Amino acid sequence: MGNHSVATGKKSHLQHHFVDEDQQFESSKFGMWIFLVTEVLMFGGLFVAYIIYRSWHPDLFYMAAQELDVALGATNTVVLIGSSLTIALAIRAIQLDKIKAGINYLVATIGLAATFMIIKYFEYMDKFGKGIYPGSAYSYDGIGHDMAVNFFSIYYMMTGLHGIHVVIGIGLIGWMTIKAKKGLIHSGYYTPVENTGLFWHLVDIIWIFLFPLLYLID
Amino acid sequence: MNRIFEYLLPPQRSTVASEVDSLFTFINVTGFILFMGIMITILIFVIKYRRKSEDDVTPVITHNSILEVTWTVIPIILILIVFSWGFRGFLTLSTPPSNAYEINVTAAAWFWEFRYPDGGTTMNEVYVPVDRPVKFIMRSDDYLHSMYIPDFRVKMDVLPNRYTTAWFEATDTGQSLLFCAEYCGTGHSDMLATVHVLSGNDFEEWLETGLEVDEDMPLAELGEQTFTSAGCNACHTLDGTDRIGPSLAGLFGTDRELDDGSVVEADEDYLRRSLLDPQAEVTAGYPANMPSYAGRLNERQIDGLIAFIKELQDE
Amino acid sequence: MADNKAQTLKIREFPVEENPEHTYLNAEKGIWSWLFTVDHKRIGLLYLFSITLFFFVGGLLALLLRTELLTPAQSIIDADTYNQIFTLHGAIMIFLFIIPSIPAALGNFFLPMMIGAKDVAFPRLNLASWWIYIFGALFALYSIITGAVDTGWTFYTPYSTQTGTSVVSMTFAVFILGFSSILTGINFIVTLHKLRSPGLSWSRMPLFLWSLYATAIIQILATPILAITVLLLAMERILGIGIFDPTMGGDPVLYQHFFWFYSHPAVYIMIVPAFGIISELISTFSRKTIFGYWAIALSSLAIAFIGFLVWGHHMFVSGQSELSSVVFSFLTFFVGVPTGIKIFNWVATMYKGSIDLKTPMLYALSFLFLFTIGGLTGIMIGALSVNVHLHDTYYIVAHFHYVMMGGTVIALLGGLHYWWPKMTGRMYNELWGRITCGIIFVSFNMTFLPQFIMGSQGMPRRYFNYVDQFQGLHQFSTIGSYILGLGFMIMLVYLVWSLFYGPKASSNPWKARSLEWMASSPPAHHNFEYTPVILHGPYDHHQPIREFHMGVAKEADEQTTEAERETT
């Protein structure tokens, strides 16, 4: 038994087990929100590890944070906030059927996300150059604290997991761009791009917590 | 009734044992009454209300406030009793008296080492006085272990990064077993020690003489004794089969291929180095996890072990 | 006609001769139509098949362990193999069998049917969760082939970061399996919120669904913590980041906190769905309205909530602060209250009922017996001073087997027999069903009751060698486990036999009242040919089933007209 709703172009995405589009849209969005809860909790585990370590070695966190480049971190914060804006504009444009503008905004978002990753790459390379690696490969002695590696292990875990999310986000936004080009998302059906937007805002928000916790310690 | 609980529990040989056991008994008896109450009710219902015909009509009973409040409140009261009872015992277990006799305990895979205030050490055997609080100050060399003496009802994990403590006051002289209760790999179930509870005088006497090595014992015999008392037998066999480390049978005098590819002859010096700095020369194919015995064995025991291993080759 | 909103149709039982020819089982053919199906019923069966497979693998490993324990010293395997086998037994039974068991197999099949939906909210995600599960299982298999794991299923540091076995691939397997669990949880929550048929208010939801709802919430909230824990553990092994490593300033007790923060709620992921099944069974086979509907429904949520606050009771002697131990012990006891409430409500449901001791009901009664023991011994080990003596002994082993196997597995078997006719369209052999239930009940107690005694006498767990005084009890336990294994083999045989030779089942052989029994046996491809409007509660046993009506929602398609023809 197939899809027995009327097969007009704009309705064909309604899956057979939903009564109508509102139900389908609300379900997708609700599901996405629950998924975001799980994401927050997963990062929450790392934040707990961070809090415990910081309460054990407050001096270490102050000293080690001086090694991080606040200017690059701040730039990245601005870049990500900007990308949150562009994806919001992209969703708005698609809801209004301005597909072309929507695609442009999506591409801009990808550009900003890529900028973030490039800056992150230079930050990592700078650290690696000094011998600041996570875990047992750590060989930097510029910080006068014998637990210095712990801070950077947490730093790499948190920013690394966040970076993976940025890459996944780039993939999703790219997919949305293709969908928009093919005319698969429009004012009648914009659930995927809306959910991608939610995911992207989460990635942004996590960074907004990471930046002060790691870079701005005093 | 008492006989049932005597069967269920190990002998009570410390001051806290009877308190722990009385709570154990209380929960068992209350639980049993509750359990039988529920089971008998079910049995009566099953018999009395068994289906008589397909057209049985049953009443609609959706709830009953009095009943529901009752079976909420009574369990709450019971668990509060059990909680405070268990709390009291736990308080006793976790506050050692200040005058306790302190023994430092080191756990390592897979043996126990006990160091006495006067400087002596024993391995896999611990001697304690009766009727006097004894406190273990414990630390692990490697993994997590757990010090468990069922007869005394004490258990405490032993951690690698900080000291944990446990205390007891033995009430009878005699022997009790000490187990490792936290899983720690291959030799976990062989990581046992014997607790010898001695009377006050015997203990003083043992402190005088027991820690000294018997000078008259032949070296190889002392080595054989050390082989078990120092826990070597957890990893090394005497019959040629591999355990965690290589078997000691026929080991002496052979060429050992090390994990860095070099070859060394298993002579007296090699055996000595292997005991004192085991990670320096590890035989290829075996894990580098043997603990160092430097400071744990005295010179005569080391000589004894070497003599014992030499003798194994002759047989 | 289609705009007539008030139309109803009479609920009736399809007799065997009227069973439809077209069902979900023959809607599509071929292996691919199964492996890539998005039908929740078929996915439920895929899960059922997979968990059965892993249950038998895990069970076989358990029998090997029990055989080794016949003698105090080595009998058939060496210590390292023994350690690997008990690790595998635990990991397989927990991550591959019991966590997905009731929700992913029976839940997937019946959750949409019980709310009158055609499928779960995200059918493709549902299929993805099964594939992710299989992928995780392959990872686990890979780690077995490349050197196995000997850490125990708890992966305690620092042993797990230093042992020479393949811990990394096993932790990745656990990570992946966690994803599968999260996807199922998301699917269930959204489905229950958004896809209920008209008239199926929260207060008319079968208690099985309330329990799945509570379970899904725990899955959503707890599993991400497991993910980050095993990720940290893997990074510790790969990079040596040292968060749990004492030599690098880390803390192994912190690992235990992280681990049990997931794994204690996970215990409720395993047992809460079982509560749901028991509610269905006791009401149906007592043919009586459930007693204390809201008490049972809300106590599931209460258990889910309190379950997040008690993880530290696994760590009374771990070296955590005494104060934490006291607080955790206090909170732990409060899990006992809602659990007790459930048991009392089930017993009260049987009062003045019309009790029929069919196989599923026998399992429900076995559950009450075994789970009550499991629960009461839980009170025992929640008490601080007694816990110090019993922690890490066979008492703990016996306790969680009474809860997990005596509770969850017995409920799963009850549910399996109860819904067997609905899933397969065939009846199993009632006599063999009852005999087997008896065998399993007796041999289960033979296996695990002696372990309570050994534990209180001081036998530590995870022991390959043991002191001689325990040999008699160990041997008794081992004999019990053989009979238990035999019981499961008999069940496998008569259930498979019934698939081919069992008599055809009518649509509602038990005269149950919830919605899944209003569909044919086996159900049609889309469960219901119309969107039902629910007019009755799921436990309305006070009136004969022939007086039941069900509404038909207004729907502008030809299916409705078909349904109309059947209206009175």
Side-chain angles (χ1 to χ4, degrees), chain A residues 41-42, chain C residues 95 99 153-155 171 173-179 181-182 221-233 255 258-263 266:
Chain A
L41 282 161
M42 188 165 83
Chain C
F95 294 114
I99 287 182
W153 78 279
T154 47
F155 307 114
T171 53
V174 171
F175 185 87
I176 295 165
L177 291 168
F179 245 104
S181 183
I182 286 178
L221 298 181
T223 318
I225 309 297
L226 175 74
I228 204 69
T229 308
V230 295
L231 204 63
L232 284 169
L233 182 60
Y255 172 82
F258 266 84
F259 181 80
W260 288 113
F261 185 82
Y262 163 76
S263 293

mmCIF file of all heavy atoms in Angstrom, chain A residues 41-42, chain C residues 95 99 153-155 171 173-179 181-182 221-233 255 258-263 266:
data_model
loop_
_atom_site.group_PDB
_atom_site.id
_atom_site.type_symbol
_atom_site.label_atom_id
_atom_site.label_comp_id
_atom_site.label_asym_id
_atom_site.label_seq_id
_atom_site.Cartn_x
_atom_site.Cartn_y
_atom_site.Cartn_z
ATOM 1 N N LEU A 41 23.501 16.899 26.479
ATOM 2 C CA LEU A 41 23.924 16.033 27.576
ATOM 3 C C LEU A 41 25.290 15.429 27.317
ATOM 4 O O LEU A 41 26.095 15.275 28.232
ATOM 5 C CB LEU A 41 22.887 14.938 27.796
ATOM 6 C CG LEU A 41 21.659 15.427 28.549
ATOM 7 C CD1 LEU A 41 20.497 14.489 28.343
ATOM 8 C CD2 LEU A 41 21.970 15.568 30.020
ATOM 9 N N MET A 42 25.559 15.095 26.045
ATOM 10 C CA MET A 42 26.858 14.501 25.740
ATOM 11 C C MET A 42 27.956 15.521 26.026
ATOM 12 O O MET A 42 28.933 15.218 26.706
ATOM 13 C CB MET A 42 26.905 14.026 24.300
ATOM 14 C CG MET A 42 28.149 13.241 24.000
ATOM 15 S SD MET A 42 28.047 12.312 22.483
ATOM 16 C CE MET A 42 28.482 13.557 21.306
ATOM 17 N N PHE C 95 24.293 -5.067 26.574
ATOM 18 C CA PHE C 95 24.221 -4.106 25.467
ATOM 19 C C PHE C 95 23.528 -4.680 24.234
ATOM 20 O O PHE C 95 22.893 -3.960 23.484
ATOM 21 C CB PHE C 95 25.621 -3.623 25.101
ATOM 22 C CG PHE C 95 26.264 -2.820 26.193
ATOM 23 C CD1 PHE C 95 27.384 -3.286 26.850
ATOM 24 C CD2 PHE C 95 25.725 -1.603 26.579
ATOM 25 C CE1 PHE C 95 27.964 -2.551 27.869
ATOM 26 C CE2 PHE C 95 26.302 -0.861 27.593
ATOM 27 C CZ PHE C 95 27.425 -1.331 28.241
ATOM 28 N N ILE C 99 19.021 -4.463 26.851
ATOM 29 C CA ILE C 99 18.619 -3.074 26.614
ATOM 30 C C ILE C 99 17.690 -2.966 25.413
ATOM 31 O O ILE C 99 16.631 -2.361 25.505
ATOM 32 C CB ILE C 99 19.851 -2.155 26.512
ATOM 33 C CG1 ILE C 99 20.442 -1.970 27.909
ATOM 34 C CG2 ILE C 99 19.489 -0.799 25.918
ATOM 35 C CD1 ILE C 99 21.631 -1.062 27.979
ATOM 36 N N TRP C 153 32.159 -6.030 32.239
ATOM 37 C CA TRP C 153 31.377 -5.151 31.354
ATOM 38 C C TRP C 153 31.436 -3.696 31.832
ATOM 39 O O TRP C 153 31.035 -2.792 31.133
ATOM 40 C CB TRP C 153 29.917 -5.609 31.251
ATOM 41 C CG TRP C 153 29.064 -5.253 32.421
ATOM 42 C CD1 TRP C 153 28.989 -5.923 33.599
ATOM 43 C CD2 TRP C 153 28.175 -4.144 32.541
ATOM 44 N NE1 TRP C 153 28.114 -5.295 34.436
ATOM 45 C CE2 TRP C 153 27.590 -4.202 33.819
ATOM 46 C CE3 TRP C 153 27.789 -3.097 31.689
ATOM 47 C CZ2 TRP C 153 26.668 -3.266 34.279
ATOM 48 C CZ3 TRP C 153 26.871 -2.166 32.148
ATOM 49 C CH2 TRP C 153 26.319 -2.256 33.429
ATOM 50 N N THR C 154 31.991 -3.480 33.049
ATOM 51 C CA THR C 154 32.027 -2.133 33.600
ATOM 52 C C THR C 154 33.245 -1.338 33.142
ATOM 53 O O THR C 154 33.293 -0.135 33.359
ATOM 54 C CB THR C 154 32.057 -2.220 35.130
ATOM 55 O OG1 THR C 154 33.042 -3.178 35.508
ATOM 56 C CG2 THR C 154 30.722 -2.678 35.674
ATOM 57 N N PHE C 155 34.230 -1.978 32.530
ATOM 58 C CA PHE C 155 35.431 -1.311 31.998
ATOM 59 C C PHE C 155 36.099 -0.405 33.038
ATOM 60 O O PHE C 155 36.517 0.703 32.716
ATOM 61 C CB PHE C 155 35.098 -0.460 30.765
ATOM 62 C CG PHE C 155 34.374 -1.180 29.678
ATOM 63 C CD1 PHE C 155 33.070 -0.851 29.343
ATOM 64 C CD2 PHE C 155 34.993 -2.201 28.966
ATOM 65 C CE1 PHE C 155 32.398 -1.524 28.335
ATOM 66 C CE2 PHE C 155 34.323 -2.871 27.955
ATOM 67 C CZ PHE C 155 33.026 -2.529 27.642
ATOM 68 N N THR C 171 34.710 -0.513 23.320
ATOM 69 C CA THR C 171 34.061 0.721 23.746
ATOM 70 C C THR C 171 33.398 1.411 22.559
ATOM 71 O O THR C 171 32.332 2.009 22.705
ATOM 72 C CB THR C 171 35.054 1.691 24.409
ATOM 73 O OG1 THR C 171 36.148 1.894 23.540
ATOM 74 C CG2 THR C 171 35.539 1.184 25.725
ATOM 75 N N ALA C 173 32.045 -0.179 20.117
ATOM 76 C CA ALA C 173 30.806 -0.947 19.937
ATOM 77 C C ALA C 173 29.733 -0.418 20.878
ATOM 78 O O ALA C 173 28.584 -0.195 20.475
ATOM 79 C CB ALA C 173 31.063 -2.430 20.207
ATOM 80 N N VAL C 174 30.110 -0.163 22.129
ATOM 81 C CA VAL C 174 29.146 0.334 23.103
ATOM 82 C C VAL C 174 28.643 1.725 22.687
ATOM 83 O O VAL C 174 27.455 2.027 22.769
ATOM 84 C CB VAL C 174 29.785 0.384 24.510
ATOM 85 C CG1 VAL C 174 28.883 1.092 25.492
ATOM 86 C CG2 VAL C 174 30.081 -1.016 24.999
ATOM 87 N N PHE C 175 29.557 2.541 22.198
ATOM 88 C CA PHE C 175 29.201 3.883 21.711
ATOM 89 C C PHE C 175 28.152 3.792 20.593
ATOM 90 O O PHE C 175 27.128 4.466 20.615
ATOM 91 C CB PHE C 175 30.476 4.557 21.193
ATOM 92 C CG PHE C 175 30.302 5.984 20.767
ATOM 93 C CD1 PHE C 175 30.420 7.003 21.690
ATOM 94 C CD2 PHE C 175 30.039 6.314 19.452
ATOM 95 C CE1 PHE C 175 30.269 8.332 21.310
ATOM 96 C CE2 PHE C 175 29.884 7.631 19.064
ATOM 97 C CZ PHE C 175 29.996 8.642 20.004
ATOM 98 N N ILE C 176 28.406 2.913 19.640
ATOM 99 C CA ILE C 176 27.497 2.764 18.504
ATOM 100 C C ILE C 176 26.139 2.230 18.964
ATOM 101 O O ILE C 176 25.085 2.722 18.553
ATOM 102 C CB ILE C 176 28.130 1.820 17.457
ATOM 103 C CG1 ILE C 176 29.388 2.476 16.875
ATOM 104 C CG2 ILE C 176 27.150 1.484 16.360
ATOM 105 C CD1 ILE C 176 30.276 1.523 16.118
ATOM 106 N N LEU C 177 26.178 1.217 19.849
ATOM 107 C CA LEU C 177 24.921 0.645 20.335
ATOM 108 C C LEU C 177 24.111 1.701 21.080
ATOM 109 O O LEU C 177 22.881 1.710 21.036
ATOM 110 C CB LEU C 177 25.203 -0.549 21.244
ATOM 111 C CG LEU C 177 25.771 -1.770 20.509
ATOM 112 C CD1 LEU C 177 26.300 -2.790 21.496
ATOM 113 C CD2 LEU C 177 24.706 -2.400 19.631
ATOM 114 N N GLY C 178 24.819 2.608 21.759
ATOM 115 C CA GLY C 178 24.127 3.691 22.451
ATOM 116 C C GLY C 178 23.342 4.555 21.476
ATOM 117 O O GLY C 178 22.208 4.955 21.748
ATOM 118 N N PHE C 179 23.927 4.804 20.307
ATOM 119 C CA PHE C 179 23.241 5.584 19.286
ATOM 120 C C PHE C 179 21.932 4.933 18.885
ATOM 121 O O PHE C 179 20.893 5.578 18.775
ATOM 122 C CB PHE C 179 24.134 5.681 18.036
ATOM 123 C CG PHE C 179 24.568 7.081 17.766
ATOM 124 C CD1 PHE C 179 25.853 7.491 18.072
ATOM 125 C CD2 PHE C 179 23.683 7.991 17.224
ATOM 126 C CE1 PHE C 179 26.254 8.783 17.855
ATOM 127 C CE2 PHE C 179 24.072 9.288 16.991
ATOM 128 C CZ PHE C 179 25.367 9.692 17.304
ATOM 129 N N SER C 181 20.152 2.969 20.587
ATOM 130 C CA SER C 181 19.212 3.091 21.702
ATOM 131 C C SER C 181 18.579 4.484 21.727
ATOM 132 O O SER C 181 17.374 4.642 21.931
ATOM 133 C CB SER C 181 19.995 2.795 22.975
ATOM 134 O OG SER C 181 19.191 2.809 24.093
ATOM 135 N N ILE C 182 19.390 5.515 21.470
ATOM 136 C CA ILE C 182 18.876 6.888 21.464
ATOM 137 C C ILE C 182 17.842 7.067 20.356
ATOM 138 O O ILE C 182 16.787 7.669 20.563
ATOM 139 C CB ILE C 182 20.040 7.888 21.285
ATOM 140 C CG1 ILE C 182 20.843 7.999 22.578
ATOM 141 C CG2 ILE C 182 19.525 9.255 20.871
ATOM 142 C CD1 ILE C 182 22.034 8.932 22.490
ATOM 143 N N LEU C 221 18.063 10.656 28.186
ATOM 144 C CA LEU C 221 18.829 11.451 29.143
ATOM 145 C C LEU C 221 20.117 10.777 29.597
ATOM 146 O O LEU C 221 21.072 11.445 29.961
ATOM 147 C CB LEU C 221 17.961 11.787 30.358
ATOM 148 C CG LEU C 221 16.724 12.640 30.064
ATOM 149 C CD1 LEU C 221 15.960 12.936 31.343
ATOM 150 C CD2 LEU C 221 17.110 13.940 29.379
ATOM 151 N N ALA C 222 20.152 9.453 29.606
ATOM 152 C CA ALA C 222 21.316 8.769 30.177
ATOM 153 C C ALA C 222 22.332 8.347 29.122
ATOM 154 O O ALA C 222 23.537 8.439 29.350
ATOM 155 C CB ALA C 222 20.868 7.553 30.985
ATOM 156 N N THR C 223 21.858 7.873 27.973
ATOM 157 C CA THR C 223 22.783 7.290 27.001
ATOM 158 C C THR C 223 23.879 8.256 26.535
ATOM 159 O O THR C 223 25.019 7.830 26.354
ATOM 160 C CB THR C 223 22.004 6.717 25.810
ATOM 161 O OG1 THR C 223 20.858 6.042 26.318
ATOM 162 C CG2 THR C 223 22.845 5.750 25.033
ATOM 163 N N PRO C 224 23.580 9.571 26.341
ATOM 164 C CA PRO C 224 24.667 10.464 25.920
ATOM 165 C C PRO C 224 25.832 10.477 26.904
ATOM 166 O O PRO C 224 26.979 10.640 26.502
ATOM 167 C CB PRO C 224 24.004 11.840 25.874
ATOM 168 C CG PRO C 224 22.562 11.569 25.700
ATOM 169 C CD PRO C 224 22.287 10.284 26.379
ATOM 170 N N ILE C 225 25.540 10.278 28.187
ATOM 171 C CA ILE C 225 26.618 10.274 29.178
ATOM 172 C C ILE C 225 27.484 9.033 28.992
ATOM 173 O O ILE C 225 28.710 9.079 29.123
ATOM 174 C CB ILE C 225 26.039 10.292 30.613
ATOM 175 C CG1 ILE C 225 25.013 11.407 30.765
ATOM 176 C CG2 ILE C 225 27.148 10.444 31.638
ATOM 177 C CD1 ILE C 225 25.571 12.784 30.586
ATOM 178 N N LEU C 226 26.828 7.912 28.652
ATOM 179 C CA LEU C 226 27.606 6.710 28.354
ATOM 180 C C LEU C 226 28.510 6.974 27.170
ATOM 181 O O LEU C 226 29.685 6.609 27.156
ATOM 182 C CB LEU C 226 26.669 5.535 28.045
ATOM 183 C CG LEU C 226 27.389 4.255 27.609
ATOM 184 C CD1 LEU C 226 28.053 3.603 28.798
ATOM 185 C CD2 LEU C 226 26.451 3.283 26.946
ATOM 186 N N ALA C 227 27.954 7.653 26.155
ATOM 187 C CA ALA C 227 28.726 7.929 24.943
ATOM 188 C C ALA C 227 29.986 8.695 25.295
ATOM 189 O O ALA C 227 31.091 8.326 24.880
ATOM 190 C CB ALA C 227 27.867 8.723 23.949
ATOM 191 N N ILE C 228 29.842 9.739 26.096
ATOM 192 C CA ILE C 228 31.020 10.556 26.405
ATOM 193 C C ILE C 228 31.975 9.792 27.313
ATOM 194 O O ILE C 228 33.197 9.920 27.197
ATOM 195 C CB ILE C 228 30.591 11.915 27.009
ATOM 196 C CG1 ILE C 228 31.693 12.940 26.777
ATOM 197 C CG2 ILE C 228 30.290 11.841 28.471
ATOM 198 C CD1 ILE C 228 31.863 13.342 25.352
ATOM 199 N N THR C 229 31.433 8.927 28.175
ATOM 200 C CA THR C 229 32.299 8.151 29.065
ATOM 201 C C THR C 229 33.183 7.193 28.276
ATOM 202 O O THR C 229 34.399 7.142 28.477
ATOM 203 C CB THR C 229 31.454 7.345 30.070
ATOM 204 O OG1 THR C 229 30.540 8.235 30.708
ATOM 205 C CG2 THR C 229 32.315 6.682 31.103
ATOM 206 N N VAL C 230 32.572 6.446 27.360
ATOM 207 C CA VAL C 230 33.381 5.482 26.621
ATOM 208 C C VAL C 230 34.311 6.213 25.651
ATOM 209 O O VAL C 230 35.405 5.744 25.367
ATOM 210 C CB VAL C 230 32.533 4.416 25.878
ATOM 211 C CG1 VAL C 230 31.796 3.553 26.873
ATOM 212 C CG2 VAL C 230 31.591 5.028 24.890
ATOM 213 N N LEU C 231 33.887 7.388 25.185
ATOM 214 C CA LEU C 231 34.759 8.181 24.332
ATOM 215 C C LEU C 231 36.008 8.599 25.107
ATOM 216 O O LEU C 231 37.134 8.487 24.612
ATOM 217 C CB LEU C 231 34.007 9.423 23.843
ATOM 218 C CG LEU C 231 34.507 10.047 22.553
ATOM 219 C CD1 LEU C 231 34.354 9.065 21.415
ATOM 220 C CD2 LEU C 231 33.748 11.322 22.247
ATOM 221 N N LEU C 232 35.807 9.071 26.337
ATOM 222 C CA LEU C 232 36.944 9.460 27.177
ATOM 223 C C LEU C 232 37.837 8.257 27.453
ATOM 224 O O LEU C 232 39.063 8.353 27.428
ATOM 225 C CB LEU C 232 36.447 10.061 28.499
ATOM 226 C CG LEU C 232 35.910 11.484 28.417
ATOM 227 C CD1 LEU C 232 35.215 11.875 29.713
ATOM 228 C CD2 LEU C 232 37.028 12.457 28.125
ATOM 229 N N LEU C 233 37.202 7.108 27.693
ATOM 230 C CA LEU C 233 37.971 5.890 27.964
ATOM 231 C C LEU C 233 38.816 5.511 26.747
ATOM 232 O O LEU C 233 40.000 5.192 26.863
ATOM 233 C CB LEU C 233 37.019 4.749 28.335
ATOM 234 C CG LEU C 233 37.651 3.415 28.697
ATOM 235 C CD1 LEU C 233 38.567 3.570 29.882
ATOM 236 C CD2 LEU C 233 36.562 2.400 29.016
ATOM 237 N N TYR C 255 35.883 7.940 36.971
ATOM 238 C CA TYR C 255 35.351 7.058 35.929
ATOM 239 C C TYR C 255 34.116 6.332 36.438
ATOM 240 O O TYR C 255 33.105 6.223 35.744
ATOM 241 C CB TYR C 255 36.395 6.030 35.477
ATOM 242 C CG TYR C 255 35.797 5.011 34.543
ATOM 243 C CD1 TYR C 255 35.645 5.300 33.197
ATOM 244 C CD2 TYR C 255 35.308 3.794 35.011
ATOM 245 C CE1 TYR C 255 35.042 4.400 32.342
ATOM 246 C CE2 TYR C 255 34.696 2.894 34.173
ATOM 247 C CZ TYR C 255 34.572 3.200 32.835
ATOM 248 O OH TYR C 255 33.945 2.319 31.989
ATOM 249 N N PHE C 258 31.120 8.561 36.347
ATOM 250 C CA PHE C 258 30.638 8.714 34.970
ATOM 251 C C PHE C 258 29.916 7.452 34.529
ATOM 252 O O PHE C 258 28.827 7.509 33.966
ATOM 253 C CB PHE C 258 31.819 8.957 34.010
ATOM 254 C CG PHE C 258 32.096 10.394 33.754
ATOM 255 C CD1 PHE C 258 32.876 11.125 34.633
ATOM 256 C CD2 PHE C 258 31.605 11.038 32.631
ATOM 257 C CE1 PHE C 258 33.153 12.457 34.398
ATOM 258 C CE2 PHE C 258 31.874 12.368 32.401
ATOM 259 C CZ PHE C 258 32.645 13.079 33.280
ATOM 260 N N PHE C 259 30.541 6.313 34.767
ATOM 261 C CA PHE C 259 29.981 5.063 34.266
ATOM 262 C C PHE C 259 28.615 4.773 34.881
ATOM 263 O O PHE C 259 27.656 4.456 34.184
ATOM 264 C CB PHE C 259 30.936 3.906 34.555
ATOM 265 C CG PHE C 259 30.420 2.592 34.048
ATOM 266 C CD1 PHE C 259 30.552 2.266 32.710
ATOM 267 C CD2 PHE C 259 29.765 1.715 34.879
ATOM 268 C CE1 PHE C 259 30.041 1.084 32.224
ATOM 269 C CE2 PHE C 259 29.259 0.522 34.401
ATOM 270 C CZ PHE C 259 29.397 0.210 33.068
ATOM 271 N N TRP C 260 28.520 4.907 36.198
ATOM 272 C CA TRP C 260 27.254 4.552 36.837
ATOM 273 C C TRP C 260 26.196 5.617 36.645
ATOM 274 O O TRP C 260 25.003 5.345 36.802
ATOM 275 C CB TRP C 260 27.464 4.233 38.319
ATOM 276 C CG TRP C 260 28.171 2.927 38.491
ATOM 277 C CD1 TRP C 260 29.427 2.743 38.990
ATOM 278 C CD2 TRP C 260 27.690 1.629 38.132
ATOM 279 N NE1 TRP C 260 29.746 1.411 38.960
ATOM 280 C CE2 TRP C 260 28.702 0.705 38.437
ATOM 281 C CE3 TRP C 260 26.499 1.156 37.566
ATOM 282 C CZ2 TRP C 260 28.566 -0.655 38.213
ATOM 283 C CZ3 TRP C 260 26.364 -0.204 37.343
ATOM 284 C CH2 TRP C 260 27.392 -1.090 37.667
ATOM 285 N N PHE C 261 26.609 6.836 36.305
ATOM 286 C CA PHE C 261 25.592 7.835 36.004
ATOM 287 C C PHE C 261 24.755 7.384 34.814
ATOM 288 O O PHE C 261 23.564 7.666 34.737
ATOM 289 C CB PHE C 261 26.214 9.207 35.717
ATOM 290 C CG PHE C 261 25.169 10.269 35.529
ATOM 291 C CD1 PHE C 261 24.605 10.876 36.638
ATOM 292 C CD2 PHE C 261 24.708 10.621 34.269
ATOM 293 C CE1 PHE C 261 23.605 11.822 36.481
ATOM 294 C CE2 PHE C 261 23.705 11.555 34.119
ATOM 295 C CZ PHE C 261 23.152 12.160 35.225
ATOM 296 N N TYR C 262 25.383 6.686 33.870
ATOM 297 C CA TYR C 262 24.565 6.064 32.827
ATOM 298 C C TYR C 262 24.027 4.716 33.280
ATOM 299 O O TYR C 262 22.850 4.430 33.146
ATOM 300 C CB TYR C 262 25.365 5.833 31.549
ATOM 301 C CG TYR C 262 24.678 4.830 30.615
ATOM 302 C CD1 TYR C 262 23.579 5.214 29.857
ATOM 303 C CD2 TYR C 262 25.087 3.508 30.548
ATOM 304 C CE1 TYR C 262 22.924 4.305 29.046
ATOM 305 C CE2 TYR C 262 24.430 2.596 29.745
ATOM 306 C CZ TYR C 262 23.352 2.994 28.992
ATOM 307 O OH TYR C 262 22.700 2.092 28.198
ATOM 308 N N SER C 263 24.922 3.896 33.798
ATOM 309 C CA SER C 263 24.569 2.490 33.910
ATOM 310 C C SER C 263 23.550 2.217 34.996
ATOM 311 O O SER C 263 22.879 1.204 34.952
ATOM 312 C CB SER C 263 25.821 1.649 34.151
ATOM 313 O OG SER C 263 26.607 1.712 32.992
ATOM 314 N N ALA C 266 20.390 2.921 33.312
ATOM 315 C CA ALA C 266 20.237 1.853 32.316
ATOM 316 C C ALA C 266 19.560 0.633 32.911
ATOM 317 O O ALA C 266 18.850 -0.094 32.221
ATOM 318 C CB ALA C 266 21.597 1.469 31.740
#
